[in-house]
Amino acid sequence: MAVKIVAEKCKGCSKCIDSCPFSAIVMENKIAVIGDACTGCGVCVDECPFDAIEKTDETVKKDLSDYKGVWVFAEQREGQIMPVVIELLGEARKLAAEIGTEVSAVLCGENVDSMTDELFAFGADQVYFADHPELKNYRTDAYTKVIKEAIEKFKPEIVLLGATHIGRDLGPCLAVKCDTGLTADCTKLEIDPEDKKIRQTRPAFGGNLMATIICPNHRPQMSTVRPGVMDKAEHVPGRKGKAIKLDVSFEDNEIRTKIIKMVKETGELASLIDAEFIISGGMGLGNPDGFELLKNLAEKLGGTIASSRACVDAGWIDHSYQVGQTGTTVKPKIYFACGISGAIQHLAGMQSSDYIIAINKNENAPIFEVADYGIVGDLYEVIPTILEELNRSS
Amino acid sequence: MKILVCVKQVPDTNEVKIDPVKGTLIREGVPSILNPDDANALEAALAIKDTEPNVTVSVLTMGPPQASEMLRECLAMGADDAYLLSDRAFGGADTWSTSNTLAAGIRKIGDLDIIFAGRQAIDGDTAQVGSQTAQRLDVPVVTYVQDIELQGDKVIVQRQMEDGYELIEVATPCLLTAVKELNEPRYMSISNIVNACKKEITVWGHEDINLSPENCGLKASPTQVFRSFTPASKGKGEMLNGTVKEMSTSLISKLKGLHVI
Ligand SMILES: Cc1cc2nc3c(=O)[nH]c(=O)nc-3n(C[C@H](O)[C@H](O)[C@H](O)COP(=O)(O)OP(=O)(O)OC[C@H]3O[C@@H](n4cnc5c(N)ncnc54)[C@H](O)[C@@H]3O)c2cc1C
Ligand SMILES: Nc1ncnc2c1ncn2[C@@H]1O[C@H](COP(=O)(O)O)[C@@H](O)[C@H]1O
């Protein structure tokens, strides 16, 4: 809120000058003038006997130029930096170079100072770290409070988070607390060459449409970024940076959730994102045992199996193997799609693989539209033959 | 106990097609549906109503007047009452604005024990509105909820993670966002359909929920769509020919030629 003088109504009585707690009003040619010290508190509005001072709706705009630097949320789980953080640091370095600014990581946990060296090695110029027993495991209230305070104090221009189950919980809460916008699940980030603002591109409508989003008048500009999409930062052992410790304190009942226990069901997650060869199966397998055949090929090539959502829904395989919009995004050297029709939601998670090989009975299956090599045939004949040929030729 | 479910009407993105000539989204003839995750959220609320005494379940949406069709569907599934936040000023909202409007509506309804939302709506896929609404209402939030157990004024929930889950305790009032794995949504029942037709849907505009037009819709949205476009397709590659054996040999020699195996 701000205030303004309506010159026609002002009688020059100077009551407002006496009332102003900030001495922001002066008299010029018998008319009150609001000076720079005005905070928009509005005391004068009520004081004026002639209704010559009005509140204006135009909010005091944040000075955007105060906001500098690219921040990456250094998500850690059980003392391990998540792979997506390394991708974010890689991306942050590119963005920072274009804007001409620095890259910082923000790290929360318990006994995390040992992790700062790793973040420097992956390209962080600074690491803001918060060390507190309450931050050991991610909890919405605790992490939101600490990072919100850091953002308000150090004013980053851009904040990137991994679009993990943690990043997609934290990001929206931070955005509201910092009164700014957030673009979800981005697959591409660019700097506008002219105004140096960030352009965030993301899939919408189940991957049918791409949208480029901007956040012109609020800071920081925030995005969650889909894991497995950006290139990893280069690792430079011994690279140094500045570690800055954040003050942390919590009041009673400020953290409103309690973790009773954490249950691990699979350990395959990381291998799917990092795999160079993925042999993925769909409903065309006909039954869950089909994955055994795919495993043989995966073992031969030193890769891993994966699946479409339909197989996950059918209970054939665990959700952690699912590739696609609501599963994992992968970009291996070779992606074998076996008995997968190629629904848009599936393509959303594997389209940027170096080479896609589709094996499908139906020559009109949409998967062939994105395949580098297509084989029309029964996967139960084709895969054993490929295996035979691989064995023979090696 | 009072439960509220935030529901959204969305186009069935499975049916969305791209115009092959113009490269634009074809929306005509695409059916509007209750967002899938929101159906799971509503089912969770109705399941509580089935087992606990004195539970009322309300549904709330922000959307155009035709969203009332979806609200009737929710009533026919068993919800007790429905609220529609509908106003020109709400149009073009991003998640900042949507959560601001929903929170204002929820404050007006008041005194809720549990608020449910879906994890994500399939049109925008942002998964932000639930968490942001909770922040504005200053209630704790748990996202990705795949199991719920009530214990007095506490709720014990399973929060889905990529590789398992966390068992979390949270006191009411709280906001929970539902994932597909939470339950199997029920169908509408004949008796509920009949009742749903008789029920009034409460419709509120910005003044009813004490919001100035500057604080809703496009005007209040920090993010803006700069442009939208259809994703460039990778382009069709080569279809291999011959017998299974010939195709397999040819594939392997091509991959070797490319030095990928
Ligand atoms: C909101 C939403 C999110 C979604 N997210 C995802 C996601 O993340 N990932 C995902 O994968 N899907 C997702 N889906 C589902 C997606 O729309 C498809 O339903 C799913 O990908 C289909 O799986 P499929 O290709 O295995 O099965 P189908 O579509 O049933 O295809 C089976 C294919 O196998 C072929 N076939 C049959 N027998 C053989 C054989 N013996 N040899 C060779 N080929 C054979 C058939 O010709 C057919 O093309 C989502 C859907 C929605 C609505
Ligand atoms: N316009 C709306 N009206 C009511 N609820 C909504 C609306 N938009 C989003 N939501 C709720 O917020 C959840 C997440 O939506 P989104 O952030 O758009 O993916 C949805 O599943 C709904 O429960």
Side-chain angles (χ1 to χ4, degrees):
Chain A
M1 192 195 63
V3 294
K4 72 165 193 227
I5 307 281
V6 184
E8 300 80 43
K9 292 191 189 168
C10 179
K11 301 272 191 280
C13 74
S14 80
K15 275 205 166 132
C16 55
I17 296 181
D18 300 332
S19 78
C20 178
F22 303 98
S23 311
I25 310 177
V26 290
M27 202 57 74
E28 279 179 22
N29 303 326
K30 294 202 172 158
I31 288 181
V33 173
I34 311 258
D36 286 340
C38 175
T39 63
C41 72
V43 168
C44 54
V45 176
D46 300 329
E47 199 64 32
C48 178
F50 310 104
D51 292 332
I53 310 180
E54 282 179 3
K55 292 182 188 180
T56 60
D57 245 351
E58 140 206 357
T59 40
V60 190
K61 285 236 167 75
K62 280 193 213 172
D63 189 357
L64 303 186
S65 61
D66 281 355
Y67 289 75
K68 292 205 170 65
V70 182
W71 277 23
V72 164
F73 170 54
E75 180 181 338
Q76 58 84 22
R77 298 190 192 176
E78 292 166 55
Q80 295 290 317
I81 300 282
M82 291 290 282
V84 68
V85 174
I86 298 164
E87 298 165 12
L88 294 178
L89 284 168
E91 191 63 19
R93 280 249 68 97
K94 281 188 220 161
L95 300 174
E98 279 179 61
I99 306 172
T101 185
E102 295 190 317
V103 172
S104 304
V106 54
L107 174 67
C108 295
E110 188 183 23
N111 303 327
V112 285
D113 36 349
S114 59
M115 273 180 261
T116 51
D117 281 345
E118 202 184 336
L119 294 167
F120 295 138
F122 278 113
D125 300 311
Q126 262 124 223
V127 176
Y128 295 96
F129 71 100
D131 210 317
H132 196 280
E134 295 283 10
L135 298 171
K136 182 165 191 268
N137 296 309
Y138 172 77
R139 275 178 303 158
T140 313
D141 289 339
Y143 275 52
T144 301
K145 174 178 179 189
V146 170
I147 300 176
K148 176 222 166 201
E149 287 175 356
I151 289 176
E152 281 181 347
K153 186 160 173 198
F154 298 102
K155 299 190 167 41
E157 186 175 0
I158 294 172
V159 177
L160 308 179
L161 304 95
T164 62
H165 285 215
I166 287 178
R168 293 192 80 175
D169 187 89
L170 174 63
C173 296
L174 278 179
V176 161
K177 290 280 180 194
C178 299
D179 193 21
T180 189
L182 170 66
T183 307
D185 211 17
C186 299
T187 53
K188 189 174 176 191
L189 301 174
E190 296 157 291
I191 298 296
D192 185 317
E194 261 150 43
D195 61 14
K196 303 287 177 197
K197 287 174 186 162
I198 191 168
R199 288 185 187 164
Q200 310 154 316
T201 299
R202 61 181 306 268
F205 284 98
N208 284 291
L209 199 70
M210 303 299 290
T212 302
I213 311 286
I214 52 173
C215 180
N217 302 318
H218 292 72
R219 291 294 176 273
Q221 306 164 89
M222 289 181 56
S223 345
T224 62
V225 177
R226 188 177 284 195
V229 176
M230 304 300 178
D231 296 328
K232 287 201 162 75
E234 194 194 338
H235 189 251
V236 184
R239 194 178 178 278
K240 287 273 167 279
K242 197 167 136 201
I244 300 154
K245 193 170 171 144
L246 300 170
D247 297 330
V248 187
S249 67
F250 296 106
E251 282 159 33
D252 290 350
N253 303 324
E254 205 175 356
I255 309 173
R256 297 165 295 180
T257 56
K258 193 168 116 194
I259 302 177
I260 301 169
K261 64 174 175 181
M262 294 161 83
V263 181
K264 289 269 176 316
E265 284 171 333
T266 53
E268 293 283 343
L269 185 77
S271 64
L272 199 58
I273 292 180
D274 294 333
E276 297 209 319
F277 300 94
I278 293 181
I279 323 297
S280 190
M283 289 312 277
L285 291 174
N287 62 67
D289 298 340
F291 284 108
E292 295 303 318
L293 175 64
L294 304 189
K295 261 186 207 154
N296 292 338
L297 183 54
E299 269 163 29
K300 177 74 204 166
L301 292 170
T304 173
I305 58 163
S307 120
S308 73
R309 168 155 144 189
C311 301
V312 176
D313 287 350
W316 293 0
I317 192 164
D318 188 82
H319 175 78
S320 59
Y321 288 91
Q322 181 187 317
V323 167
Q325 187 207 338
T326 44
T328 304
T329 300
V330 297
K331 48 171 183 184
K333 270 201 212 161
I334 307 186
Y335 188 89
F336 280 85
C338 315
I340 292 178
S341 58
I344 186 100
Q345 297 93 344
H346 189 79
L347 302 185
M350 43 68 78
Q351 228 169 353
S352 46
S353 304
D354 291 349
Y355 292 97
I356 297 170
I357 296 160
I359 304 168
N360 198 303
K361 267 208 254 188
N362 174 4
E363 58 177 312
N364 296 320
I367 190 76
F368 288 123
E369 300 297 323
V370 299
D372 295 278
Y373 298 107
I375 296 182
V376 178
D378 184 339
L379 69 96
Y380 285 100
E381 283 175 43
V382 177
I383 293 175
T385 317
I386 292 178
L387 263 170
E388 248 168 57
E389 293 298 315
L390 275 175
N391 284 329
R392 228 166 38 103
S393 69
S394 59
Chain B
M1 176 148 121
K2 274 179 77 176
I3 305 180
L4 179 104
V5 188
C6 298
V7 290
K8 186 176 188 191
Q9 190 178 39
V10 293
D12 187 346
T13 50
N14 273 337
E15 304 288 326
V16 173
K17 294 274 161 351
I18 303 294
D19 184 320
V21 185
K22 288 191 242 142
T24 51
L25 215 59
I26 307 174
R27 293 226 212 170
E28 290 100 72
V30 176
S32 288
I33 55 169
L34 168 63
N35 180 50
D37 284 350
D38 303 356
N40 296 105
L42 177 56
E43 174 58 39
L46 295 173
I48 295 173
K49 182 177 157 81
D50 288 345
T51 52
E52 306 275 322
N54 305 324
V55 174
T56 59
V57 174
S58 310
V59 286
L60 168 73
T61 195
M62 177 189 89
Q66 58 271 30
S68 59
E69 293 159 25
M70 168 204 62
L71 292 175
R72 294 241 176 258
E73 227 177 271
C74 298
L75 293 170
M77 280 170 73
D80 298 292
D81 42 34
Y83 298 86
L84 170 62
L85 306 177
S86 199
D87 193 315
R88 276 255 158 102
F90 298 157
D94 73 352
T95 65
W96 190 104
S97 279
T98 305
S99 60
N100 203 35
T101 304
L102 291 178
I106 293 171
R107 269 188 221 108
K108 171 129 177 176
I109 296 167
D111 292 331
L112 292 158
D113 298 288
I114 306 179
I115 301 159
F116 280 104
R119 174 181 96 95
Q120 111 181 33
I122 62 170
D123 51 355
D125 295 319
T126 71
Q128 290 175 184
V129 169
S131 300
Q132 297 195 320
T133 305
Q135 290 300 318
R136 296 185 184 284
L137 295 168
D138 200 21
V139 296
V141 56
V142 184
T143 52
Y144 293 87
V145 170
Q146 61 171 14
D147 189 62
I148 298 170
E149 192 193 317
L150 292 189
Q151 281 186 3
D153 57 1
K154 282 189 200 126
V155 196
I156 311 289
V157 299
Q158 284 184 14
R159 175 174 196 269
Q160 188 183 75
M161 294 294 282
E162 288 91 340
D163 56 355
Y165 66 86
E166 293 171 345
L167 196 66
I168 292 180
E169 180 187 299
V170 59
T172 57
C174 60
L175 191 148
L176 308 174
T177 79
V179 293
K180 176 169 75 76
E181 287 74 20
L182 178 58
N183 52 39
E184 200 56 58
R186 66 192 61 190
Y187 293 105
M188 296 178 261
S189 76
I190 300 289
S191 63
N192 281 335
I193 293 176
V194 174
N195 283 334
C197 296
K198 293 183 205 144
K199 281 187 179 146
E200 282 278 338
I201 290 174
T202 308
V203 183
W204 286 333
H206 73 268
E207 280 170 351
D208 302 304
I209 54 174
N210 298 317
L211 269 187
S212 79
E214 283 72 38
N215 289 323
C216 28
L218 186 64
K219 269 195 187 157
S221 298
T223 62
Q224 293 169 12
V225 179
F226 176 70
R227 79 184 182 116
S228 61
F229 55 100
T230 50
S233 87
K234 186 171 161 140
K236 204 176 168 122
E238 183 182 345
M239 296 299 281
L240 303 177
N241 299 313
T243 64
V244 168
K245 189 161 185 297
E246 284 162 359
M247 290 191 286
S248 304
T249 347
S250 136
L251 176 68
I252 289 164
S253 70
K254 281 176 194 296
L255 293 178
K256 286 204 163 146
L258 293 163
H259 304 290
V260 280
I261 57 170

